[in-house]
Amino acid sequence: MTFTLATWNINSVRLREGLVARLMAEESPDILCLQECKSPVDKIPVEQFQALGYRYMVARGEKGYNGVAILSKLPIMDAGDRDFAAMGHARHVAARLENGVTIHNCYVPAGGDIPDRDINPKFGQKLDFLTDMREWCRWDKPDRSILVGDLNIAPREDDVWSHKALLKIVSHTPVEVEHLNQVMEAGGWQDITRKDIPDGLLYSWWSYRAADWDAADKGRRLDHIWASTDIANAGHSSRILRPVRGWLQPSDHVPVFATFDL
C-alpha cells in the first residue's frame, strides 16, 4: 500500500477553505493533516472536501483556537486523542488506516515571545506539553506510527535562516530543541523530511511580519513528518511546497509532504 501524506497549519480552515480545496485538487495527497483549524468539528466545511474525494475525517476542534483534523481519501477510523499537559486544548488527534498504521496529528503550543517560563507561562506550557509527549512515547512506545504536525520548533541549525540570531528566539532555543529531541528519542521517531533531504536550509514557515517574505526568506522549519523506527525506511519523496506561501491570503505555514510504501 502506497500513500502520500501532507501536513499543513492552515490558520483557520473556514477562512482558507478554498486554499485547502486547491491543494487537494492540485496535489491530491491521500491524507491531509491540518492544524490550527480554529473551528468546532461540526463547522469544518467538509462538503467541498468530500466532493474532491476526501470522504473520511477524524478531527478535534474548538471555537476560534487550535483544532486538528485528518482528512483522507482512504478509510480511517478514530484512534483517540490526548490532552498533553492537561491544557484542555484540541491539539492532538489520531486516526488508524486499514493496514494498521496510526497517524498522529499534533499542534504543539507556540510558546509566546519570551523563552522564560517564570516570566512567560505560555513558554512553560509548551515545555510541559513536550514533556508529556515524551512520557507518552516512553510508556506507550509507538509502532507502525506516523506523527505529523506543527511542532513549533525548528531543531537543526539549517532549519532556520540564522542559527546565531535565533538562539534566544522561541522555536529555536536550546531548551526547546532538547525537549523535542527527547520526544524523538523516547518514541524512536525518525525525521522523514531530513532523512530524505539531509542537507541545506529548509523552511516551512515565514512570518506575516515580513514586507516581502520571499525576498527576506527568514524562514523556519516548524512543520514535521516523523515515523516510528519500524516503518521509517518506508518513507520517501519528501518535499515542502514553498510556492503555497505566495497564494492569495495564505497561511504563514506551507504543506510538507511524504510518501510511504506500507
Side-chain angles (χ1 to χ4, degrees), residues 12 15 25 32 36 47 65 76 79 93 96 103 110 112 129 139 155 174 176 234 237:
S12 179
L15 179 63
L32 176 59
E36 205 172 354
E47 291 82 4
Y65 297 94
I76 53 174
V93 70
R96 189 166 292 115
I103 298 168
F129 190 101
W139 298 112
E176 291 170 273
S237 304

Side-chain angles (χ1 to χ4, degrees), residues 1 3-7 30-35 58 68-72 74-81 92-106 136 143-149 189 224-227 231 260 262:
M1 177 183 180
F3 62 90
T4 297
L5 177 149
T7 179
D30 297 292
I31 302 162
L32 176 59
C33 298
L34 301 176
Q35 304 87 40
V58 173
V68 283
I70 301 174
L71 302 161
S72 180
L74 307 172
I76 53 174
M77 63 178 291
D78 195 318
D81 60 79
H92 171 262
V93 70
R96 189 166 292 115
L97 291 163
E98 290 183 321
N99 64 1
V101 171
T102 300
I103 298 168
H104 296 275
N105 184 11
C106 294
W136 162 63
D143 62 273
R144 289 184 65 78
S145 297
I146 299 168
L147 187 151
V148 308
W189 297 108
H224 301 264
I225 296 177
W226 297 352
I231 63 169
F260 291 86
L262 291 166

Side-chain angles (χ1 to χ4, degrees), residues 157-184:
E157 292 188 15
D158 51 0
D159 287 339
V160 295
W161 65 274
S162 172
H163 171 61
K164 183 177 180 180
L166 271 68
L167 273 173
K168 295 183 179 180
I169 302 298
V170 173
S171 77
H172 191 61
T173 65
V175 66
E176 291 170 273
V177 172
E178 180 184 3
H179 275 65
L180 189 70
N181 287 339
Q182 288 176 357
V183 176
M184 292 191 75

Side-chain angles (χ1 to χ4, degrees), residues 34-239:
L34 301 176
Q35 304 87 40
E36 205 172 354
C37 294
K38 295 183 176 178
S39 174
V41 174
D42 62 355
K43 299 294 185 183
I44 294 175
V46 296
E47 291 82 4
Q48 185 173 188
F49 307 152
Q50 290 173 342
L52 289 164
Y54 295 81
R55 298 190 293 122
Y56 305 94
M57 182 179 76
V58 173
R60 301 291 186 270
E62 57 187 281
K63 184 178 180 180
Y65 297 94
N66 308 313
V68 283
I70 301 174
L71 302 161
S72 180
K73 293 180 175 182
L74 307 172
I76 53 174
M77 63 178 291
D78 195 318
D81 60 79
R82 295 188 68 90
D83 182 14
F84 294 113
M87 295 177 67
H89 295 174
R91 291 184 176 272
H92 171 262
V93 70
R96 189 166 292 115
L97 291 163
E98 290 183 321
N99 64 1
V101 171
T102 300
I103 298 168
H104 296 275
N105 184 11
C106 294
Y107 177 37
V108 173
D113 295 325
I114 303 171
D116 184 332
R117 68 181 305 147
D118 294 327
I119 299 172
N120 172 21
K122 290 182 178 180
F123 192 71
Q125 287 180 329
K126 181 176 190 175
L127 299 183
D128 291 345
F129 190 101
L130 292 162
T131 298
D132 206 359
M133 284 185 71
R134 180 196 69 197
E135 294 306 298
W136 162 63
C137 291
R138 181 172 291 166
W139 298 112
D140 189 11
K141 200 82 168 183
D143 62 273
R144 289 184 65 78
S145 297
I146 299 168
L147 187 151
V148 308
D150 176 6
L151 304 186
N152 262 314
I153 297 172
R156 294 180 21 158
E157 292 188 15
D158 51 0
D159 287 339
V160 295
W161 65 274
S162 172
H163 171 61
K164 183 177 180 180
L166 271 68
L167 273 173
K168 295 183 179 180
I169 302 298
V170 173
S171 77
H172 191 61
T173 65
V175 66
E176 291 170 273
V177 172
E178 180 184 3
H179 275 65
L180 189 70
N181 287 339
Q182 288 176 357
V183 176
M184 292 191 75
E185 182 179 356
W189 297 108
Q190 303 294 316
D191 182 342
I192 298 301
T193 307
R194 279 305 191 180
K195 181 178 76 70
D196 284 350
I197 312 170
D199 302 307
L201 296 172
L202 204 58
Y203 314 139
S204 65
W205 174 91
W206 292 262
S207 174
Y208 285 132
R209 297 175 184 175
D212 187 336
W213 69 273
D214 194 28
D217 203 22
K218 293 185 175 182
R220 307 176 203 175
R221 186 173 72 102
L222 303 180
D223 305 271
H224 301 264
I225 296 177
W226 297 352
S228 54
T229 301
D230 56 342
I231 63 169
N233 288 337
H236 60 90
S237 304
S238 296
R239 56 198 177 103

